[in-house]
Amino acid sequence: MKKKIILLLLLLILAIPIVSAADQVIINSEEWQDIYNGIVYAKMHNLHVKFLKDYRSGVKLLKQLDTSKKDILLIESLENPVTSNYESNLKQQSFNVEKLKEDSTNINLELLKRTDVDKVIVLDDSFGHNAISVGSYGVASKSFPIFANRKNINQVKKQIDDKGIILYGK
């Protein structure tokens, strides 16, 4: 089920493109929220994006990366990376790697900081279908999706104070 949600997210978001320091984004996480955030961020910055599904896909990806685009933003789950030491593998292939390794909430907020938007879409992170519903709209309208819940609401509030807010979901 998780892989189906990831595939659906990818298909929906890849359909709509929208410029950044990195040339490529690679996502090393088993968390659907990290994959979703990485894809949205990449699409809003018109960057190529790939995510690891398992160890084998990580090895295969190293051979498929565009070697003319040396700067990579590696988004890696703090708790659940797909594979370990992927940053080292990329560096061995002569890529310049900036690693963003946080929990899902902080990855989401950090990617918002790196994205020049005037609006955010605040939604609950417990249901993937809410995220699917707003992904393409967010990219098209340059409104970054932000996941809010009881644990992170104060952190989210501080970061979105100066932005237009669209609330989605419960």
Side-chain angles (χ1 to χ4, degrees):
M1 181 67 177
K2 188 177 183 181
K3 288 184 181 184
K4 286 181 183 179
I5 289 174
I6 291 169
L7 181 60
L8 186 56
L9 283 171
L10 180 65
L11 291 174
L12 283 172
I13 295 170
L14 288 180
I16 302 176
I18 297 198
V19 179
S20 178
D23 298 317
Q24 304 179 70
V25 175
I26 297 175
I27 306 159
N28 179 16
S29 178
E30 292 185 7
E31 303 294 330
W32 72 264
Q33 294 94 334
D34 297 340
I35 296 167
Y36 175 85
N37 287 318
I39 292 170
V40 169
Y41 174 82
K43 290 293 128 191
M44 291 185 105
H45 293 272
N46 201 25
L47 300 171
H48 294 285
V49 61
K50 303 280 185 187
F51 59 91
L52 307 179
K53 294 175 265 191
D54 53 34
Y55 174 78
R56 229 188 268 155
S57 73
V59 172
K60 197 173 174 183
L61 177 60
L62 286 172
K63 297 173 186 170
Q64 297 172 345
L65 288 171
D66 184 346
T67 56
S68 70
K69 297 181 177 189
K70 291 291 186 189
D71 295 323
I72 291 178
L73 173 61
L74 175 62
I75 298 171
E76 188 168 285
S77 171
L78 188 62
E79 297 93 10
N80 296 308
V82 173
T83 186
S84 58
N85 299 318
Y86 203 69
E87 178 183 20
S88 299
N89 295 338
L90 291 167
K91 287 181 175 180
Q92 286 175 354
Q93 300 292 319
S94 299
F95 287 103
N96 304 317
V97 181
E98 177 189 0
K99 182 163 71 170
L100 177 56
K101 185 172 185 167
E102 301 279 345
D103 63 26
S104 293
T105 296
N106 288 326
I107 285 174
N108 188 221
L109 293 172
E110 179 57 33
L111 293 176
L112 172 61
K113 285 180 196 171
R114 296 171 182 228
T115 305
D116 184 24
V117 294
D118 295 325
K119 297 178 286 190
V120 294
I121 303 169
V122 179
L123 63 149
D124 182 355
D125 64 352
S126 61
F127 299 108
H129 55 54
N130 285 346
I132 291 169
S133 298
V134 303
S136 295
Y137 174 77
V139 172
S141 66
K142 297 182 183 173
S143 305
F144 201 85
I146 289 293
F147 295 117
N149 56 45
R150 286 188 177 115
K151 292 180 198 171
N152 73 351
I153 192 65
N154 290 330
Q155 209 177 350
V156 167
K157 212 166 121 182
K158 285 178 194 172
Q159 195 156 337
I160 66 172
D161 257 352
D162 63 339
K163 304 201 182 303
I165 300 169
I166 299 169
L167 297 175
Y168 187 88
K170 59 178 185 167

